[in-house]
Amino acid sequence: MSARTITTTSLLALKQRGERIACLTCYDAAFARVLERSGVEVLLVGDSLGMVIQGQPTTVPVTLDQMVYHSRCVTRAAERSLVIADMPFMSYATPERAVAAAARLMGEGGAAMVKLEGGEPLVETVARLTAFGAPVCAHLGLLPQSVHQLGGYRVQGREAAEAERIETEALALQDAGASLLILECVPSALAAALAQRLRIPVIGIGAGNRCDGQVLVLHDVLGLTPGAAPRFSKNFLAELASVAVAGSASVDASDGSGVAFGIEAAIKGYVEAVKSGAFPAREHTLA
Ligand code: KIV
């Protein structure tokens, strides 16, 4: 671990200093290098790879073997960022299964943290994982692995009772030892309240800009998602191109790095926008 390596302690320090954390999904070594050079602090090997890499309709079919493979691809190239690996559907259905899955994602995949989706039923699992030295990122709000139960991808926590449940679960997961919380598709006021209340960093996706950091799916940021991208995301590559066409910026690929230069500039644009609080703007915020 180099002196510049991002750890759970450095993420906590960023929160305490009020510096927003930039996180993106990442599934391979080539992008791990580009994202690190662009200043992304946290690389999430999300099971969204089922949709954006494999072309599946949901994240449900993703297997543990596939998550281990992609985690290894990312961690082979990542030198300083914190790499989080998603635990796939049902791989943490019991604390015992969760420990076995985390052992593979961290041992074989090289991840520094594992992420699981859900609240109260996972408190014991989070305590078990952290007791054995596996840092945990919790995930509340919209839970993509539960899409068949939820009946679609919808904003969560709009009703007072639901918002209260999310808050109670977030506190319980923190108390059980979670080091990070991802909040997906919740009203911005709820995310802001949780970021203020929790000691651990809260990373938002479709949760407004008053979180401690932001995460997006890399393929949405680069406009590679077929069909309409989620309203809360932003194509930073298209923005870069439109600024260049307007003549106020140059997108010069002549440094020999080819298309990676355009991609890298777009990712840097994302990092800057997260750090300054410019992203997410009002149009990316779900009420
Ligand atoms: O799998 C994933 O990419 C995620 C993010 C959407 C947070 O869980």
Side-chain angles (χ1 to χ4, degrees), residues 6 15 27 66 117 126 140 154 163 189 222 233 258 282 284:
I6 309 287
K15 173 173 175 129
Y27 317 104
Q66 290 163 354
E117 298 181 8
V126 171
L140 291 174
R154 291 199 198 87
L222 299 179
S233 72
R282 190 188 293 266
H284 310 115

Side-chain angles (χ1 to χ4, degrees), residues 217-232:
V217 170
L218 175 64
H219 288 55
D220 291 342
V221 169
L222 299 179
L224 294 172
T225 314
R231 209 192 90 196
F232 57 73

Side-chain angles (χ1 to χ4, degrees), residues 25 27 44 46-48 86 115 117 139 182 184 205 215 217:
T25 65
Y27 317 104
L44 169 63
D47 59 357
S48 51
D86 245 335
K115 175 165 88 59
E117 298 181 8
H139 183 152
I182 286 185
E184 179 163 357
I205 173 164
V215 59
V217 170

Side-chain angles (χ1 to χ4, degrees), residues 104-164:
R104 290 202 59 206
L105 290 166
M106 296 181 71
E108 294 170 48
M113 188 180 287
V114 292
K115 175 165 88 59
L116 34 74
E117 298 181 8
E120 197 275 327
L122 295 177
V123 168
E124 186 193 339
T125 300
V126 171
R128 186 86 67 95
L129 287 167
T130 52
F132 287 126
V136 173
C137 174
H139 183 152
L140 291 174
L142 174 62
L143 310 178
Q145 290 175 9
S146 303
V147 62
H148 295 304
Q149 198 166 37
L150 295 170
Y153 298 102
R154 291 199 198 87
V155 179
Q156 306 291 308
R158 275 194 172 132
E159 306 295 323
E162 210 187 341
E164 206 172 304

Side-chain angles (χ1 to χ4, degrees), residues 65 68 71-72 75 102-111:
D65 281 344
V68 171
S71 300
R72 191 70 203 115
T75 56
R104 290 202 59 206
L105 290 166
M106 296 181 71
E108 294 170 48

